[in-house]
Amino acid sequence: MSRPLGHQARKRFGQNFLHDAGVIDRIVGAINPTPEDNLVEIGPGMGALSEPLLEACPSLQMIELDRDLIPGLRAQFFRYPELVIHEGDALRFDYRAIAGKGPIRAVGNLPYNIATPLIFHLFEFSDVIRDMHFMLQKEVVERMAAAPGESQWGRLAIMTQYRCRVQPLFTVGSGAFSPAPKVESAIVRLVPHGTIDNPAHDQELLAKVVRTAFNARRKTLRKALAPLFGDGDWPRLGIDPTLRPQNLTLADYVMLANDLYAQASNGSTE
């Protein structure tokens, strides 16, 4: 698909436009959109992915920050009267406001520079999201899908897997984009858990424990988590304080957060 007249990819928006028809077909096949879906495309760019999405789901909604692209999108897809284009920042968008049609199916070729904060923003609306299919930097997808004990196991994996089932789908080479990025990309499917089996009593406290631990990931738990737990806490917790942060499971971190929550609750009632 040709670039809109005079439009140059903007570095500040992290724009890399997808143009490979084979990759586009594969992405749409993985999403498998239907006319009944509440489908939302984040950052449609020049509409390369939008066209096949609209063919399957004419009521597609788009969120686009670059106002210079919106007139071209409206002209390109004028035959789809149900199409809704929201001009705005996906990082600040209220997704609950567009969930009236049903659970949201979010789709997007996300700019690398905002991918992680955007996904964390979307987690705040996980109760109204059915699934998410995103093109991300391959390294980010690998970090999301990492397992305890692996070098890439960290804050992103723990907080993502707490909220969602993570399914890496396939890798996309840099030649599928214009301009070509310097890294490989990958498609990931994120499906929010309907019910979290082992919930944290306070998700912000869970995030704090994980962030504190991995801010000092090369240190032992005793040192990394010293701001939150003292030496006398570890026998009660049943965790070896000489382990490193990457050795603990998601369930371990939830347990630590819930222990802090219980200590705070007991302290407030005494």
Side-chain angles (χ1 to χ4, degrees), residues 43-70:
M46 295 187 297
L49 186 60
S50 313
E51 189 161 8
L53 292 177
L54 276 164
E55 290 174 1
C57 181
S59 60
L60 174 70
Q61 299 188 67
M62 299 175 177
I63 303 169
E64 178 55 62
L65 177 61
D66 188 348
R67 66 181 62 186
D68 291 345
L69 288 172
I70 293 176

Side-chain angles (χ1 to χ4, degrees), residues 120 124 155 159 162-163 199-212 228 253-254 256-258 260-261:
F120 274 72
E124 298 176 18
R155 176 175 174 260
M159 300 311 297
Y162 177 77
R163 295 281 196 153
H201 299 317
D202 184 329
Q203 292 179 19
E204 291 185 6
L205 197 53
L206 172 62
K208 179 180 179 180
V209 172
V210 174
R211 182 173 58 252
T212 302
L228 302 177
Y253 281 106
V254 171
L256 291 173
N258 286 346
L260 285 178
Y261 180 87

Side-chain angles (χ1 to χ4, degrees), residues 122-169:
L122 284 162
F123 287 161
E124 298 176 18
F125 305 93
S126 59
D127 59 311
V128 296
I129 294 176
R130 173 178 154 190
D131 57 26
M132 297 173 271
H133 290 80
F134 292 136
M135 175 96 72
L136 304 171
Q137 187 174 337
K138 181 182 177 184
E139 179 189 356
V140 172
V141 173
E142 290 173 344
R143 285 167 51 206
M144 281 183 171
E150 296 179 351
S151 61
Q152 292 177 310
W153 177 250
R155 176 175 174 260
L156 182 59
I158 293 166
M159 300 311 297
T160 302
Q161 292 176 30
Y162 177 77
R163 295 281 196 153
C164 301
R165 176 169 58 87
V166 181
Q167 184 180 3
L169 298 180

Side-chain angles (χ1 to χ4, degrees), residues 13 61 77 242:
F13 290 154
Q61 299 188 67
F77 301 121
T242 66

Side-chain angles (χ1 to χ4, degrees), residues 54-255:
L54 276 164
E55 290 174 1
C57 181
S59 60
L60 174 70
Q61 299 188 67
M62 299 175 177
I63 303 169
E64 178 55 62
L65 177 61
D66 188 348
R67 66 181 62 186
D68 291 345
L69 288 172
I70 293 176
L73 291 167
R74 294 193 191 282
Q76 186 178 352
F77 301 121
F78 73 95
R79 291 188 178 89
Y80 296 93
E82 295 180 77
L83 169 65
V84 177
I85 303 178
H86 305 275
E87 180 186 333
D89 187 347
L91 280 166
R92 296 175 174 83
F93 195 81
D94 179 7
Y95 294 88
R96 206 173 303 280
I98 59 172
K101 182 183 172 183
I104 292 169
R105 303 195 69 198
V107 180
N109 170 23
L110 301 187
Y112 297 150
N113 58 345
I114 68 160
T116 299
L118 175 56
I119 288 171
F120 274 72
H121 177 61
L122 284 162
F123 287 161
E124 298 176 18
F125 305 93
S126 59
D127 59 311
V128 296
I129 294 176
R130 173 178 154 190
D131 57 26
M132 297 173 271
H133 290 80
F134 292 136
M135 175 96 72
L136 304 171
Q137 187 174 337
K138 181 182 177 184
E139 179 189 356
V140 172
V141 173
E142 290 173 344
R143 285 167 51 206
M144 281 183 171
E150 296 179 351
S151 61
Q152 292 177 310
W153 177 250
R155 176 175 174 260
L156 182 59
I158 293 166
M159 300 311 297
T160 302
Q161 292 176 30
Y162 177 77
R163 295 281 196 153
C164 301
R165 176 169 58 87
V166 181
Q167 184 180 3
L169 298 180
F170 56 89
T171 301
V172 179
S174 59
F177 303 89
S178 177
K182 296 179 181 179
V183 296
E184 284 191 305
S185 302
I187 300 294
V188 65
R189 176 184 292 135
L190 304 174
V191 182
H193 302 305
T195 301
I196 296 176
D197 293 332
N198 183 30
H201 299 317
D202 184 329
Q203 292 179 19
E204 291 185 6
L205 197 53
L206 172 62
K208 179 180 179 180
V209 172
V210 174
R211 182 173 58 252
T212 302
F214 284 95
N215 279 345
R217 63 180 302 137
R218 296 179 184 275
K219 296 183 179 180
T220 64
L221 290 170
R222 176 181 283 115
K223 293 181 178 179
L225 290 176
L228 302 177
F229 297 97
D231 286 345
D233 292 321
W234 295 107
R236 172 176 54 78
L237 294 167
I239 291 178
D240 181 354
T242 66
L243 294 174
R244 309 285 178 182
Q246 65 264 30
N247 297 128
L248 296 195
T249 65
L250 168 57
D252 290 331
Y253 281 106
V254 171
M255 184 270 289

